[in-house]
Amino acid sequence: MSREPLPRVGWIGAGRMGAAMARRLARAGVDVAVWNRTPSKAEALVADGAEVAGSIGDLAGRDVVFTMVSSSEDLEQVLVGEGGLLIADGPVPAVVVDCSTVSTETSAAMRAAVQRRGAEFLAAPVSGNGKVVAAGKLSFVVSGSEEVYDRVAPLLGLIGRGASYVGEGETARLVKICHNLLLGVVAQSLAEITVLAEKGGVSRAAFLGFLNDSVMGSTFTRYKTPALVKLDYRPTFTPVLLRKDFDLGLRAAAELGVSMPVAALTQQLVQATIGGGRSEEDFSVLLDQMAAAAGLELKPEAAEVDDGLGAHP
């Protein structure tokens, strides 16, 4: 019995995450056309088998279009702004899958705009960074029509290792914001305890090696270990993007009447990192901030450490 052919895919947004995700589809043999505001980022995917779309409108005839952009405003622009996917007369994709981290209000508005054109919309934010994508370990949380989710699931399976369907509407947005609040709180705590251990005479490599092998170790602590040991702050996720997610999360907490004192304090510490001029580095630069507050001068360590992600296919 022959398999159903995979849909023809359009992709909007070829930044660090979007490019890594589109690359996995292209390398899996999916027909993918990519548009990015900076064309060179889309052109970099041609070697992996992707096509470059000259405009967003060129993607309108695709079966499924994924969006992976930086903000709510960017999502509105690429869908309903000037030259957006839904603006021109003519065909629109059957399904739009948005993998960005945006507000529930924007997500609901874009869902309505897509549905007015007779198409379907899935909210499908992700957990991971570019390295996680390359290792095939990205995970999705998805909300919208379950029937549409079932249709798109094979594509999600080519990009990552799993997807969790959590219901109708915008429920996936809240789940992702909760996830990123935890991400920030854990990153801050990890920075604090690593500084404490080092100031007490323990190398970062030794401390984090122990932590990763303990019951407290996680995929996150493992793949951040090389950055913390080597002081490699090349960005995978910036403090500015993390602050955006804290803003969204604390707003949701206020609306739902939930007290989040630890998250609120972490937001201020992330803001202090931005105010200190470290906004374009990786958010693991929180380590430097805690070291400075403790009067500790950090130096890169030579120890070889593993990120726990294995070989990158």
Side-chain angles (χ1 to χ4, degrees):
M1 186 173 170
S2 62
R3 280 193 315 175
E4 288 266 332
L6 288 168
R8 296 172 69 244
V9 170
W11 196 282
I12 297 174
R16 281 186 292 270
M17 284 295 289
M21 294 165 71
R23 180 175 292 113
R24 286 190 65 87
L25 287 180
R27 288 182 175 179
V30 177
D31 181 349
V32 185
V34 182
W35 179 88
N36 193 75
R37 186 179 298 137
T38 304
S40 60
K41 293 184 177 181
E43 290 163 1
L45 297 169
V46 171
D48 298 294
E51 301 174 30
V52 176
S55 69
I56 293 176
D58 291 343
L59 304 177
R62 295 268 158 170
D63 301 312
V64 178
V65 168
F66 285 81
T67 52
M68 184 52 145
V69 296
S70 296
S71 68
S72 296
E73 293 75 18
D74 289 335
L75 182 61
E76 292 171 352
Q77 178 60 46
V78 299
L79 292 184
V80 298
E82 184 178 354
L85 186 68
L86 304 176
I87 294 305
D89 294 331
V92 295
V95 183
V96 174
V97 182
D98 178 56
C99 301
S100 319
T101 300
V102 300
S103 70
T104 54
E105 293 85 356
T106 295
S107 187
M110 294 304 96
R111 182 184 302 278
V114 170
Q115 290 174 339
R116 282 195 294 271
R117 293 299 309 273
E120 298 284 354
F121 182 90
L122 292 177
V126 300
S127 173
N129 60 28
K131 290 183 178 179
V132 174
V133 177
K137 296 184 178 181
L138 190 74
S139 55
F140 293 85
V141 57
V142 186
S143 61
S145 162
E146 189 167 11
E147 183 270 330
V148 176
Y149 164 72
D150 288 339
R151 283 160 46 196
V152 172
L155 292 172
L156 303 182
L158 293 174
I159 299 171
R161 69 177 177 183
S164 299
Y165 176 76
V166 293
E168 298 283 342
E170 315 315 321
T171 49
R173 302 300 186 185
L174 181 59
V175 172
K176 176 59 192 300
I177 291 301
C178 290
H179 168 282
N180 279 17
L181 291 175
L182 179 61
L183 174 74
V185 168
V186 170
Q188 174 62 30
S189 294
L190 186 61
E192 292 175 14
I193 61 175
T194 301
V195 167
L196 175 62
E198 181 167 357
K199 194 158 188 185
V202 182
S203 72
R204 296 190 301 279
F207 172 68
L208 292 168
F210 161 74
L211 184 71
N212 290 337
D213 286 337
S214 76
V215 295
M216 298 305 296
S218 68
T219 300
F220 175 71
T221 64
R222 291 184 188 94
Y223 80 63
K224 277 302 178 189
T225 290
L228 299 177
V229 170
K230 306 291 187 183
L231 306 183
D232 179 0
Y233 300 135
R234 287 175 294 180
T236 61
F237 190 58
T238 65
V240 171
L241 293 175
L242 183 58
R243 182 190 62 187
K244 177 202 73 172
D245 294 345
F246 268 84
D247 292 345
L248 292 172
L250 291 173
R251 189 173 77 191
E255 291 170 353
L256 295 172
V258 176
S259 175
M260 303 192 76
V262 176
L265 177 57
T266 303
Q267 180 199 41
Q268 292 303 305
L269 293 166
V270 173
Q271 177 57 48
T273 299
I274 296 168
R278 309 295 294 271
S279 61
E280 298 304 314
E281 297 173 85
D282 190 73
F283 73 107
S284 53
V285 78
L286 288 165
L287 179 72
D288 275 12
Q289 182 170 287
M290 291 300 100
L296 177 66
E297 182 182 358
L298 299 178
K299 295 181 180 179
E301 295 179 4
E304 291 302 318
V305 289
D306 181 45
D307 65 6
L309 297 176
H312 295 178

